[in-house]
Amino acid sequence: MNWLGIFGDALWIIALSMMAGGAREAWRRMDAETRVPMQFSREGKPVWRLKRNVALLSVPLFALAVGLFLGAQSRSIPAGPDMLVLFGARATLAAVFTLVHMRWLSAAVAQLSEEGALRS
């Protein structure tokens, strides 16, 4: 194991913990039967919705799967320029997944708040 692999793992752990923390806070404010908007149209209206459990767990679990795949790949590549490229991809994807998740979660919570579907 090299240092780039360890730093890449640390970045994914931080990203996943931020996604899980945001999802946990939103989870607490919603009833179990709440249907969370998953996709928005250009006008900002929800296009389709999923139940709270599936909606709030889907993105972090997908990010976990991608992170585990990239982590396994980083352990199979010998040290060199390829390792640096993979570290860059891992670091970028961890940040992108976190930003996309937080942006979506913010929009979903705002929409549910507007509809009066959140607990205080």
Side-chain angles (χ1 to χ4, degrees), residues 40-51:
F40 295 90
S41 67
R42 290 182 187 254
E43 293 81 34
K45 302 291 182 200
V47 176
W48 60 281
R49 296 172 183 251
L50 291 174
K51 288 184 82 169

Side-chain angles (χ1 to χ4, degrees), residues 1 5 8-9 20 32 39 44 46 50-51 53-54 59 63 69 73 81-82 91-92 98 100 102 107-109 119-120:
M1 166 92 16
D9 290 343
Q39 182 181 13
L50 291 174
K51 288 184 82 169
N53 299 352
V54 176
V59 177
F69 173 76
Q73 293 300 314
D82 291 341
T92 302
T98 304
V100 167
M102 290 301 178
V109 167
R119 291 182 254 160
S120 53

Side-chain angles (χ1 to χ4, degrees), residues 81-111:
D82 291 341
M83 179 60 78
L84 186 59
V85 170
L86 184 59
F87 170 75
R90 289 179 76 194
T92 302
L93 282 174
V96 166
F97 269 104
T98 304
L99 290 173
V100 167
H101 181 258
M102 290 301 178
R103 174 65 181 106
W104 162 76
L105 194 58
S106 171
V109 167
Q111 178 67 36

